[in-house]
Amino acid sequence: RNNMSIRDIIFGIITVEGEYSNDPSDSGGATRWVITEKVARANGYTGDMRELPTTVAYDIYYKQYVVLPKFDEVYKVSPQISEELVDTGVNMGISIASKFLQQALNALNDGGTQYSDLVVDGVLGNRSISSLQSFLARRGANGTKVLLRALNSLQCARYISIAESTPKNERFVYGWILNRVSI
């Protein structure tokens, strides 16, 4: 992956997510640019979801899925890892994306010899960011590749688990894996 700006990352997700949807099988309900009506309302949008402008969607993405979970801090360390976390955060929730990073960093920590293992709480703080820096400094470009594979593998396993626990979601799994998981 090329180093994309945060703006490019957000507009890439908006493009992949497409326009308005209100699929009865989707528990998210009415969405546009994969922003649910509930999230849009919580962020001050009062109009028809079919008319949600990309500029409003961008602002919501930036505030809720970049700054709030500190994925902008991750971006300063690794734009590629940040891109993956933003995408996963939009699709699965920022806490899940953050937990995936914490789990992967712990598993790749060689028995706690590189940095202190992280508490997998879904909240990125200074320890999570410094552990990411340490891991990438030690492992370099291959570290980024391995970490991206770990994050995508955790994401894919979660999609399958979601389908197993909620069979109505099976109809979405193929598209989720096609559009969200890259190894």
Side-chain angles (χ1 to χ4, degrees), residues 71 85 88 93-106 118-124 128 151 154 158:
F71 297 159
L85 295 176
T88 302
I94 57 175
S95 177
I96 297 295
S98 298
K99 285 179 182 178
F100 286 171
L101 178 62
Q102 291 166 331
Q103 288 176 300
L105 287 170
N106 284 346
L118 301 166
V119 174
V120 180
D121 60 3
V123 178
L124 296 186
S128 295
L151 294 171
L154 289 165
R158 183 163 170 89

Side-chain angles (χ1 to χ4, degrees), residues 12-23:
I13 294 169
I14 287 173
T15 301
V16 167
E17 289 304 336
E19 299 258 346
Y20 177 78
S21 173
N22 195 3
D23 188 323

Side-chain angles (χ1 to χ4, degrees), residues 1-16 66 71-72 74-76 78-84 86-87:
R1 298 182 192 195
N2 295 328
N3 289 352
M4 302 176 76
S5 70
I6 290 175
R7 184 180 190 286
D8 293 336
I9 292 168
I10 292 171
F11 278 114
I13 294 169
I14 287 173
T15 301
V16 167
V66 176
F71 297 159
D72 54 337
V74 172
Y75 184 88
K76 294 173 186 174
S78 172
Q80 298 95 333
I81 300 300
S82 179
E83 178 183 3
E84 179 60 31
V86 171
D87 183 70

